[in-house]
Amino acid sequence: MTPFAFHVARDCAEALSLGAASGARFIGGGTNLVDLLRQNVESASKLVDVSRLAANIHEVGNGALLVDASVKNSALAAHPMVRGRYPMLSRALLAGASAQIRNMATVGGNIMQRTRCAYFYDVDGARCNKRQPGSGCDAIGGFNRYHAILGVSNDCVATHPSDMCVALAALAALVHLVGPEGERTVPLAEFHVLPGASPQIETVLRPGEMITAIELPPATPAMANSEYRKVRDRSSYAFALVSVAAGLEVVGGKIAEARIALGGVAAKPWRATRAEAALRGLPATRANFLSAAEEELTKAQPLEGNAFKIGLVQRTTAAVLESLAGERA
Amino acid sequence: MTITINGSDYAVPYDSRVSLLDMLRERLSLTGTKLGCNQGACGACTVLLDGERVLSCLTLAAQADGRDVLTIEGMQGADGSLHPLQKAFIEHDGLQCGYCTPGQICSAVAMARELRRGDPSHVTANLAAGPDGPTREEIRERMSGNLCRCGAHNGIVEAIEEMLGREAA
Amino acid sequence: MSKLQNALVGGVRTVLGRVPASWLPGGTPDPIIQKRATLGTQQSRIDGPDKVCGAARFAAEVPMANLLHAAFVHSTIARGKIAELDVSAAEAAPGVALVMTYRNAPKMSVPPAIGITNLKAAGNHTLPVMQDAEIRWNGQAVAVILAETREQAEHAATLVRIRYNAEQSRTRFKEGKKNARTPDSILIERNRVDKGNARKKLAEAAYKIDAVYRTPWQNHNPIEPHAATIAWQDGRLIVHDATQMIHATAGSLAKVFGLKEADVFVSSPFVGGGFGAKGMWDHQILGAAAAKLAGRPVRVVLSRASMHRLVGGRTQTEQRVALGAGADGKLTALLHHGYATKPQHSICDEGFSLTGRSLYASGSFDIVQHHVDLDLLANSFMRAPGEAPGTFAIECAMDELAHQLGMDPVELRRRNIASCDPISGSPHSQSATMTAYDLGAERIGWARRAPAPRARCEGEWLVGMGCAGGTFPFARMPGTSARITLDAGGQAHVASAAHEMGMGTATVQRQHAADRLGLPLDSVSVTIGDSRLPFASFAGGSSQTASLGAAISAASGKLAAELLRLAGNDTPLAGLRASEVEFADSGLRSIEDPSRHESFASIFRRSGRNELSVTGESGAPLEMLKFSMHSTSAIFCQLRVSEVTGEIRIDRLVGAFDCGRILNAKTATSQFKGGMIMGLGMALTEETLLDERSGRIMSTSLADYHVPVHLDVPEIDVLWTDIPDPRTPMGARGIGEIGTTGVAAAVANAVFNATGTRVRDLPITLDKLASNATPEKREAISRPEFP
């Protein structure tokens, strides 16, 4: 770890002004950043602690839920409104990491997590275009069992490791940002970007900008009838091989609304818009669920180690939707 | 700039890179909190921060400024008597080498509070309703952030069950 | 090892075969087997209170003034030379006291290698440590930084600049197989066994299985990282270490630094998990060297990445097992061939090929293993070395044969279980493996198992049951010593440089000494864990309890003789010899006539002594060569496999063990369970990822290397036959490793029973199960391969 200064921001304005310095980084719970600094993957001249900013969850006028960026993952997961209206989000949060880490990690920090690709982490011994643009990608041709099958490029096949973000994508959550140029909102599904030729760029965040809140839209029946299923190498405390966040509303035997997002398949939480569109108006059958998931994955580009994800995503998606259809039927 | 640790105040280290774990172990000789992986993957360094369990290896000491830390050294009664969970660990042999043990105990003490609050876990079937009591599956999921390599898992879960049973009684 | 060794061991065995058993150690059953006092009962571990309070002191927790902290820089190539080295930025970094590289490291000898001839040797490889510019594996330590704080040392380590001249390296298993070596012996056994023309018998067999099984590189990953607090004081070297080889480490460091053995002190009262990993590796040597150069004490705590780069694991194996049988299920041929990675500089034989020699009475045997020499970190011993991968292959093949025969897998074992050593014909010291099978089968409800795969389904979950056997050889190490000090107040103190890493060493030997000396438990105390104490061999090979038990037994014999001498003629014991008395009721009495008794207090009073101290030693373990001595087990598993995801959930795990007498039901249960849980990890999740392009390990964290978590571990049932072994101290055989053997096969066999998919390649991750496997992979998984 290179030496750094540490400042606690008392309010948003102070955070922005402290964060404007070059080499400054915002720190929430630090569960990812402290590790990255210690592994020498990242360095900072100054850490601005934003974890003590307001951490509220409150309903706004239209029934939307506004969650401050400093809310802990555990607090969000346990919140009655989240458990009742957006169960997929609660379940996704609870699938992430461990209780200790969820008590530390903030919502903003969760969104800003970086990939767990082992080559990204191995600063001394491996090449990584994300860490050092232009150096090459050792994951291609190496261990890529955990890596992406959608939206990949020749330069990077890393995945985004968050569970929470997968549910947020399916819920069409908005990310509230503030920066030197003022406030703006970005849909969560558009917040992370695909690697292309510049995998070092992971989000649309601008210099000095920070996340202040996420906004969950007013709950629809499909949001309330939702689940998150995470498939991993052990039963707990492991990153996803793949995950599915899904919500379903069936009216008169026909699908009125399907919300689907996939984790572990891309550099961003993957909103399965093609599958959602394909399902609209169809009977809620296993065959339809499977073919919609297949439709979503027609452009998948598997590597040697992760081709199994294609079938796995299809079957898992269909199984989650089937159980949601069953519970509402 | 002080951290309250087991009831006493200590100055936050000057070097802001120092983790809460290294502050405890290397600077305060509070070595009951263990360093296992130093990267948030084993739970051996678990302590309670303002009553909630966290990993001290990923917590910079500076982040704990003004907060209250409880470590394994603070678990015993004022008269030095063992915490009921510490006794239950011995009785149920919830340990072998003893290295993950302080982290398991700190974690379980905080977990009991989470259960009492009705916080759900990943295996809670009905999230809105909350956990269906301290089932073994609930305990196992909630303790999965604390690795044990000797394989004392069964004894640990039994010890926690005993503590929760006593609380309920 | 060598042809010479084969001749020696073979010769001794031949001679011992003709020697009456009563002449050998264990010739008559240990009388303590008949005494039922505290041995065999449940006893809580005596260090429990310290451990649950965090007060047990581990190696990195020894306070020391003026301490420096170490960080390591590792090579990033597998073979070549350091061409340029720039340490100026690191040296100039804040707090740095020393940057040590091959240029300024002190001259050090290569440590003596672990072996059967030198119990004070701990070297895991034969390479010089930081003595030249040569790189021999990817991850080798190339610089050590000492600084005032850990943060400063770790930061300075990132500032060392190195350029390498890389040379052609050998890091691919498949290519290495072409030039594999075939050693003359494996550990102390002859490597090649060719008995009864197995190839011909296999060709003629009515039923046959011929398949290849693969096990990956695995790492021990104890929760306590390797650590040492090291100081030089007046030319003496003091090492507070985390080691399961106290005296061997002391002896080796003495050789490395050219010191007298008495001038090296190694202390290790508590080890935070070892499993074979906590021996001597480069970090203690480099830490001591750096402390010498800096003239200040040093604390070494390896990062997880440094652990993976400096401390070897269980090596990769590829094993072909071919079984031939008649319609009655009796084996006519057992062939076990295969490869294990073992770099030329490595000490450890991964003796997987030993499994097939002891379990079953086949009509013929053809067994040999080959070693693949690669430019990698030396491999090492990991819980149940050899037998863990060996039983996976053999016991899966047995299950495959049972399936082919349409025979119950337990019944197939019953028809083939050996009644003596199948190769040499040596008698078993004691063996009741089928009793263990019957206990286990009853406990899990084996009768409910559907013989056909895919017969039970609960929702998306396919349910299956499987079983497998385990085996691990008995070992008692010579030389292990114990000192018993008895005082006039009737308090006994036992001291030995033995090791505690969770087995309950002091707890169990306290029970033993109390029973042996006829004292109540609270009159006995035990001190272990440093090199000033009487010599003890390593804690490994499941040997420590037997070795230390033999030493305490020997010491108690000496104590009786000394007490008789002190007692003189004016005593009820007058005229009795040591062999004619026994300890009872805090004194000695005649075995023949228990009324002839005198208390210790009385003897001491009369002789004017306050205490008496004697030291006994574990003698040559000739019984190991005369008898076939193995702990065995029967493992049963019930699990579920999701048809949707391929995820596996273990619902029940039962281990039934035949390991002689169980000494402490509580700690033994824990040790069995611990071994079984490591077996679960081996079965389902554990794999060290070696990037064969670079020879670099890519799974250097506990987030990448998956050990079982609480939710993976079901309620485990442990049962035992509890039949004393008449040839061993206390009637006990080792229990440290046996738990791990057989578990991976039982899981794989249960997966087959659940799904109909046979996975022969560990770990059984969900991508290897039928619905997730790619067509090519599915082909490879479902069809036997012939090398």
Side-chain angles (χ1 to χ4, degrees), chain C residues 228-455:
Chain C
T229 305
I230 303 168
W232 291 84
Q233 283 174 8
D234 308 323
R236 293 185 72 229
L237 176 59
I238 292 158
V239 182
H240 297 278
D241 198 7
T243 181
Q244 48 195 105
M245 306 185 86
I246 289 172
H247 267 117
T249 299
S252 300
L253 289 173
K255 287 272 191 307
V256 168
F257 291 100
L259 302 167
K260 283 185 260 166
E261 274 178 29
D263 286 339
V264 181
F265 172 68
V266 174
S267 161
S268 189
F270 294 104
V271 180
F275 321 111
K278 294 269 174 68
M280 196 186 69
W281 293 86
D282 290 3
H283 65 282
Q284 294 106 321
I285 297 171
L286 292 170
K292 193 176 183 185
L293 284 188
R296 287 174 62 180
V298 166
R299 176 159 299 159
V300 175
V301 179
L302 293 189
S303 69
R304 279 287 145 182
S306 289
M307 279 171 77
H308 282 88
R309 308 215 185 283
L310 294 181
V311 180
R314 195 200 304 281
T315 201
Q316 179 179 2
T317 76
E318 181 180 292
Q319 310 171 51
R320 174 199 176 199
V321 177
L323 301 175
D328 59 357
K330 289 235 167 92
L331 290 176
T332 55
L334 188 159
L335 289 81
H336 194 182
H337 298 174
Y339 300 87
T341 302
K342 185 191 177 198
Q344 191 89 50
H345 53 257
S346 180
I347 300 305
C348 168
D349 290 337
E350 186 65 38
F352 63 81
S353 64
L354 302 182
T355 299
R357 305 172 183 212
S358 68
L359 274 176
Y360 300 117
S362 171
S364 64
F365 293 90
D366 182 346
I367 298 173
V368 66
Q369 78 176 63
H370 314 287
H371 289 159
V372 177
D373 179 18
L374 298 177
D375 296 317
L376 298 176
L377 166 63
N379 63 297
S380 185
F381 303 93
M382 177 167 159
R383 200 168 200 169
E387 305 289 358
T391 50
F392 171 67
I394 296 276
E395 289 297 286
C396 283
M398 285 295 280
D399 196 71
E400 299 201 42
L401 180 62
H403 184 70
Q404 194 182 84
L405 284 158
M407 186 179 286
D408 183 277
V410 176
E411 180 59 27
L412 180 64
R413 267 85 174 185
R414 199 182 309 281
R415 293 189 185 192
N416 287 290
I417 203 82
S419 58
C420 64
D421 187 273
I423 308 293
S424 70
S426 302
H428 286 140
S429 57
Q430 176 270 325
S431 181
T433 307
M434 289 319 299
T435 308
Y437 266 100
D438 292 339
L439 285 171
E442 194 192 339
R443 178 62 64 95
I444 201 157
W446 184 250
R448 290 184 290 112
R449 171 183 176 269
R454 300 184 71 85

Side-chain angles (χ1 to χ4, degrees), chain C residues 64-71 95-98 145-150 152-153 228-230 290-291 293-300:
Chain C
M64 220 172 253
N66 214 17
L67 199 62
L68 289 168
H69 296 261
V96 171
L98 175 74
I145 283 83
L146 297 185
E148 302 295 334
T149 69
R150 183 216 300 281
Q152 291 169 333
T229 305
I230 303 168
L293 284 188
R296 287 174 62 180
V298 166
R299 176 159 299 159
V300 175

Side-chain angles (χ1 to χ4, degrees), chain A residues 162-204:
Chain A
S162 169
D163 294 297
M164 179 190 78
C165 288
V166 182
L168 291 182
L171 292 168
L174 295 174
V175 184
H176 288 236
L177 303 170
V178 64
E181 295 153 45
E183 297 180 12
R184 60 176 180 137
T185 60
V186 177
L188 185 282
E190 291 166 26
F191 183 79
H192 300 96
V193 297
L194 293 174
S198 50
Q200 74 279 13
I201 300 168
E202 296 171 356
T203 70
V204 298

Side-chain angles (χ1 to χ4, degrees), chain A residues 1-3 38-40 116 118-119 122 124-127 137-143 145-146 229-239 241 286 304-305 307-309 311-312 315-316 319, chain C residues 74 76 151 154-155 158 305 309 460-461 642-647 649 684-685 689-694 696-698 702-709 711-712 765-767 771-774 777:
Chain A
M1 250 192 253
T2 19
R38 192 174 283 146
Q39 306 290 326
N40 211 31
R116 294 284 166 166
Y119 300 96
D122 187 3
D124 296 330
R127 300 176 306 156
C137 172
D138 277 338
I140 296 172
F143 291 108
R145 208 170 143 262
Y146 272 84
R229 183 157 178 181
K230 182 176 185 179
V231 183
R232 40 188 160 175
D233 272 330
R234 62 184 175 195
S235 56
S236 189
Y237 203 13
F239 291 97
L241 284 162
R286 183 174 168 75
E304 200 179 346
F308 70 94
K309 285 189 176 183
L312 180 58
R315 288 190 311 278
T316 309
Chain C
H74 302 275
T76 55
E151 294 78 18
E154 286 177 359
H155 175 237
T158 68
R309 308 215 185 283
E460 69 173 63
W461 297 91
S642 165
E643 278 216 280
V644 173
T645 62
E647 289 164 296
R649 296 287 181 261
L684 297 178
T685 56
L689 301 175
L690 174 75
D691 192 325
E692 290 199 329
R693 298 170 301 178
S694 58
R696 192 157 177 91
I697 299 173
M698 297 311 302
L702 283 169
D704 298 300
Y705 186 96
H706 293 117
V707 307
V709 297
L711 194 58
D712 292 316
T765 48
L766 57 86
D767 43 318
S771 51
N772 281 328
T774 55
K777 259 199 177 153

Side-chain angles (χ1 to χ4, degrees), chain C residues 4-60:
Chain C
L4 176 66
Q5 182 190 306
N6 282 341
L8 283 173
V9 173
V12 172
R13 282 212 166 109
T14 308
V15 171
L16 290 175
R18 301 190 190 115
V19 168
S22 60
W23 295 8
L24 297 175
T28 52
D30 187 341
I32 208 167
I33 293 169
Q34 300 307 323
K35 286 190 194 168
R36 293 260 164 183
T38 69
L39 276 180
T41 63
Q42 303 250 4
Q43 295 292 333
S44 291
R45 46 189 83 232
I46 54 176
D47 47 20
D50 277 345
K51 285 178 175 176
V52 299
C53 294
R57 199 210 64 204
F58 292 89

